[in-house]
Amino acid sequence: MDFTDFILSAKRADSIPLTSRNVKVLWRENIYSPKYNDTINSIILNFDYLQSMSLPERAALGYIATFIGNECQWDGEITDTRTNLKCVLMTYLDLGYQCSDKHLGFLNQWFAQDAVALNKLKRCPTKPEGSTIGTTFNDILLETKPKNQSITLKYTFSYRNLRDNEHHTYQQTDVFRYEDTHIWLVDSKKHIKL
């Protein structure tokens, strides 16, 4: 007789089921900083939501955080590979440093069937807070609809170009479709907010 082990059924242990939700993930507030002995405008994160975040939601948030600044600072001296840029939202999502193997490995796995997203991820930017030209989040709202297998991220961000004394605020809406192990960006709309 030949005995061979095989799996009758399997369940992903690390996945939290997606539920319908509308949640504010990120916003800005003026808070006192002992380091600067002054009040500064800073990113605030919804840590209650973090406990119930699903992997597709984490992938969608990680994708937009790749391209919009979120209080990023070099962790020590800049390395030759520029993979030690620590960002507030990346840390919250447990994705490590901006453009690191951990960060891009996670997103490349989830967006493996989205050629446009994969191509954009190849140009992962490493700009610290305070760069001459840059962006920063003002807020992020997340809406998940399991019935449609969709995640919608509505966010505002500020763009600044200190060299040309230029500043704009944009609103953007990105719609993602997901399955158990993959996600796709299916629609993106951006306009200047007055």
Side-chain angles (χ1 to χ4, degrees):
M1 287 188 163
D2 182 18
F3 292 98
T4 305
D5 292 334
F6 61 93
I7 297 174
L8 293 175
S9 67
K11 179 181 166 187
R12 285 181 60 147
D14 61 350
S15 184
I16 295 172
L18 282 106
T19 59
S20 291
R21 69 170 107 219
N22 272 311
V23 62
K24 189 177 233 183
V25 177
L26 176 151
W27 62 95
R28 297 186 85 73
E29 287 183 11
N30 291 327
I31 58 171
Y32 177 76
S33 168
K35 178 179 177 181
Y36 299 108
N37 194 25
D38 201 357
T39 301
I40 59 170
N41 189 266
S42 186
I43 288 176
I44 306 297
L45 295 163
N46 183 343
F47 284 98
D48 291 334
Y49 165 67
L50 181 62
Q51 304 307 314
S52 64
M53 183 187 308
S54 68
L55 289 173
E57 290 168 336
R58 185 174 166 225
L61 287 164
Y63 182 80
I64 68 166
T66 300
F67 305 104
I68 305 292
N70 52 101
E71 296 183 359
C72 301
Q73 297 293 330
W74 295 111
D75 192 7
E77 295 295 319
I78 301 173
T79 63
D80 292 340
T81 58
R82 296 180 64 92
T83 54
N84 63 321
L85 188 62
K86 188 173 184 176
C87 303
V88 169
L89 191 50
M90 288 297 167
T91 301
Y92 172 82
L93 297 170
D94 192 30
L95 292 179
Y97 294 125
Q98 174 82 355
C99 303
S100 67
D101 289 342
K102 181 176 183 178
H103 166 208
L104 293 177
F106 177 80
L107 293 179
N108 285 331
Q109 176 186 346
W110 274 93
F111 285 91
Q113 297 179 12
D114 184 337
V116 173
L118 289 176
N119 191 43
K120 192 171 178 185
L121 287 167
K122 289 178 184 175
R123 298 182 307 274
C124 185
T126 53
K127 288 186 180 180
E129 189 81 11
S131 295
T132 303
I133 299 172
T135 57
T136 187
F137 281 110
N138 296 329
D139 60 48
I140 302 174
L141 301 171
L142 176 142
E143 181 181 17
T144 300
K145 294 181 180 176
K147 184 177 179 181
N148 300 341
Q149 290 185 291
S150 71
I151 298 167
T152 301
L153 296 175
K154 296 178 183 179
Y155 52 99
T156 61
F157 64 94
S158 296
Y159 163 84
R160 73 182 179 303
N161 180 333
L162 300 176
R163 186 176 303 124
D164 297 335
N165 197 24
E166 192 178 347
H167 183 274
H168 300 287
T169 300
Y170 292 93
Q171 277 186 322
Q172 186 155 335
T173 302
D174 291 341
V175 180
F176 299 85
R177 294 272 187 254
Y178 65 87
E179 290 180 356
D180 289 342
T181 59
H182 292 91
I183 189 167
W184 301 263
L185 177 62
V186 294
D187 191 32
S188 184
K189 291 184 175 76
K190 176 172 77 172
H191 63 274
I192 292 180
K193 183 180 176 185
L194 302 174

